[in-house]
Amino acid sequence: MKKSLLFFALVLASYGTVQAQVTTSSMNGVVTESSGHVTVGATIKAIHLPSGTAYSGSANSAGRFNLANMRVGGPYRVEITYVGQSPIVYEDVYLQLGQPFVLNPIFGASATALEEVTVTGNRVKSEKNGTATVVGRTQIENLPSINRSINDLTRLTPQANGTAIGGGNYRANNFTVDGANFNN
């Protein structure tokens, strides 16, 4: 009894000093332009060349980015892209265990001109909102059925789990059969 109590006391005493083992690294920094302005939304992509593992992220409103849980070692190929700027590429980047690699890329003054983009579309004239599944007579006749319940038909809808459709309750469903409305 005294030995187990002593062991328990030692375990509790060492509890605060136990730490997890670190097996990854990270990359962070700030993306700016040569004028000093931050580039919000710049895309950072790092590829671990031996394995092909890709890590990507984008710069936040302060121009900062953080790629976490990256493989240790390298070489990495890091590419930073931003709309209207030439990409910045870093080759042979190596990461150390548990140490964040700080990378502060600066885009040059040369910007590329973007061409005009025209977006066209047609207005959809429909009063329906949301997802619908239409099951025809041929599907109903050819569908294998065990107990002839509504679950035989709802399995054709990807959003359905039995009679619960879209994660909702079965009481909120709306079925129409040849125009007749069936709730619940």
Side-chain angles (χ1 to χ4, degrees), residues 31-49:
V31 183
T32 57
E33 295 178 8
S34 60
S35 61
H37 294 94
V38 296
T39 53
V40 179
T43 303
I44 298 88
K45 184 175 183 179
I47 299 174
H48 185 251
L49 297 178

Side-chain angles (χ1 to χ4, degrees), residues 89-123:
V89 178
Y90 295 95
E91 300 283 349
D92 293 329
V93 175
Y94 289 86
L95 303 181
Q96 294 181 1
L97 181 64
Q99 299 296 319
F101 185 84
V102 179
L103 182 67
N104 294 318
I106 300 173
F107 282 107
S110 63
T112 57
L114 300 176
E115 295 181 19
E116 179 180 321
V117 176
T118 305
V119 178
T120 59
N122 297 328
R123 182 180 173 103

